Amino acid sequence: MPSAPHDLAAFLVEAKRRTYAGLDDDATVAAPLLTGSKQLEHHAPPYAYRDIYFGMGFFVGQETVSRDERVIWSMSYSGGVRAEITEREIFLAIYKFLRQALLRVGVEEPYRGPRLFEQDGMADRNEIEGGIDRFHGVETIARQDGTPLYELRYDGGLLR
């Protein structure tokens, strides 16, 4: 099993806070590699982070981290807001809340947000198994009364 560079988790936290979580789509690269995608990037040599995704209400994507121009870590994800949620204000409130949760990502589990984040009548729960070398998880957002609003599944790890 490969071992993670000691500074990889810290770089992931920084990259996530400086892309979607912190800047929303303002972090989007003007000319993405894949037509129709959103592409967000952060560079702090020797590392480079790239997040490419398609869609919004339901989306799929992949994050990669390169070290010295070689991809060493990746995470794929898919999910989004429940299909029956069509009111724009609710939709935007969910994603605003999600970005607040994602800003709280930590070096112990640098994949999504914390295991539990509550604010503005919503709760973000993050169930994670594994470590930075190989992991998977499910993130859900619900109203405090338990009404489900959002679900995302993700997995990834060190490449070998």
Side-chain angles (χ1 to χ4, degrees):
M1 177 182 310
S3 63
H6 72 282
D7 54 350
L8 175 60
F11 172 76
L12 273 166
V13 168
E14 176 186 343
K16 288 169 180 271
R17 288 178 180 163
R18 291 179 183 241
T19 55
Y20 180 76
L23 296 174
D24 192 7
D25 286 335
D26 290 343
T28 302
V29 172
L33 292 172
L34 301 172
T35 303
S37 70
K38 295 280 186 174
Q39 180 175 322
L40 306 110
E41 295 184 356
H42 175 69
H43 302 272
Y47 291 113
Y49 168 87
R50 178 175 288 148
D51 180 3
I52 297 176
Y53 67 95
F54 294 87
M56 185 165 175
F58 178 80
F59 53 88
V60 297
Q62 182 175 23
E63 299 176 17
T64 58
V65 173
S66 300
R67 181 180 172 106
D68 299 321
E69 299 185 28
R70 187 177 137 267
V71 177
I72 62 166
W73 183 91
S74 184
M75 179 178 85
S76 59
Y77 56 88
S78 67
V81 172
R82 294 181 61 91
E84 65 270 15
I85 297 173
T86 57
E87 189 177 326
R88 180 172 168 73
E89 285 182 28
I90 295 171
F91 188 87
L92 294 176
I94 293 166
Y95 281 118
K96 181 179 179 183
F97 171 77
L98 173 63
R99 287 191 304 279
Q100 290 302 307
L102 295 177
L103 281 171
R104 288 156 176 80
V105 63
V107 294
E108 305 80 24
E109 297 173 325
Y111 323 117
R112 299 289 295 170
R115 288 191 178 249
L116 177 63
F117 174 69
E118 296 175 309
Q119 182 176 291
D120 299 331
M122 289 186 264
D124 180 297
R125 287 183 169 64
N126 204 353
E127 298 177 20
I128 305 160
E129 290 187 34
I132 196 167
D133 61 318
R134 193 169 191 172
F135 60 90
H136 64 273
V138 177
E139 177 183 33
T140 59
I141 297 175
R143 289 196 175 102
Q144 285 182 335
D145 68 5
T147 304
L149 302 170
Y150 169 98
E151 181 178 283
L152 177 121
R153 296 181 178 275
Y154 59 94
D155 61 355
L158 291 173
L159 303 176
R160 49 189 164 138

